[in-house]
Amino acid sequence: MDREELPTIFNLASSDPRSELIDRSKLSEETLKQIDRIMAEMGRLRAVERKISRASQSYMNLNETDMRAIRFLISAKNTDTAATPGMLAKHLGITTASVTKMVDRLEKAGHVVRAAHPTDRRSLCITVTPETHLAARQQVGRHHAARFGAAARLSPAEREVVIRFLAETAMDLEDSIGSVGERKPSQG
């Protein structure tokens, strides 16, 4: 299988040539090269995930929100959780009216079914059909299994480093959302 070349748009020389965003004056060339490689690999990972997402959406004839809904419903089924339209709306960050339209469309296409909630007679429960569950497992599940393999090959200490890196990256990115326009250059 051909591997995509590492994206170069994420390297510091092309994205921040004058150190306006990131102060790298105290970092060695070797450190900068390693960070560039990390950023490039993260870019490749995002590109592969987008490719997988598009292929899965095409295979199942669903859009991105529909796929997120199906994954949520599969997770709910796997954990014996009765998924309601309200839970789905909250998970997807959309209105209950939008969920109703989406569920109507997914039900018509044979992806989900509505049923009475097992404990709350006033509520409905949405479940994924066995056929869609199987299709999602075959299409998306194998990609998740590949991620597991990469993590399993790491030592416990390496996994802790990766966990810390991903958690800190997510926190830093979340912090940057709230401070757009207010952000000061990083002190590396």
Side-chain angles (χ1 to χ4, degrees), residues 54-175:
R54 285 190 304 271
S56 297
Q57 290 171 26
S58 175
Y59 176 79
M60 296 184 71
N61 199 25
L62 299 171
N63 66 37
E64 183 179 346
T65 303
D66 294 346
M67 285 296 292
R68 289 178 54 220
I70 294 297
R71 283 193 298 267
F72 176 82
L73 294 172
I74 289 170
S75 179
K77 184 176 184 173
N78 288 341
T79 59
D80 293 322
T81 302
T84 65
M87 291 168 65
L88 198 49
K90 183 177 180 182
H91 174 75
L92 297 172
I94 61 177
T95 66
T96 53
S98 294
V99 165
T100 299
K101 288 179 185 176
M102 180 186 64
V103 171
D104 287 345
R105 189 177 65 255
L106 292 174
E107 188 173 44
K108 185 177 179 182
H111 292 296
V112 302
V113 292
R114 289 178 172 106
H117 192 283
T119 59
D120 182 356
R121 293 188 313 175
R122 299 166 297 157
S123 188
L124 287 176
C125 179
I126 306 164
T127 57
V128 66
T129 62
E131 298 80 13
T132 294
H133 191 171
L134 179 62
R137 182 182 181 94
Q138 290 172 337
Q139 182 63 24
V140 179
R142 64 189 167 102
H143 300 301
H144 290 300
R147 285 188 188 108
F148 180 88
R153 287 188 297 272
L154 298 174
S155 71
E158 290 170 325
R159 283 192 291 274
E160 287 301 324
V161 169
V162 172
I163 290 166
R164 190 180 93 233
F165 170 74
L166 293 173
E168 289 183 14
T169 299
M171 285 187 296
D172 287 351
L173 286 171
E174 284 178 13
D175 289 348

Side-chain angles (χ1 to χ4, degrees), residues 11-29 31-33 35-36 185-188:
N11 71 30
L12 290 169
S14 65
S15 63
D16 186 27
R18 290 174 290 288
S19 295
E20 295 168 318
L21 298 171
I22 300 167
D23 177 9
R24 45 193 192 266
S25 62
K26 297 179 180 122
L27 301 174
S28 70
E29 277 303 309
T31 297
L32 292 172
K33 284 180 185 176
I35 292 171
D36 273 349
S186 171
Q187 296 304 309

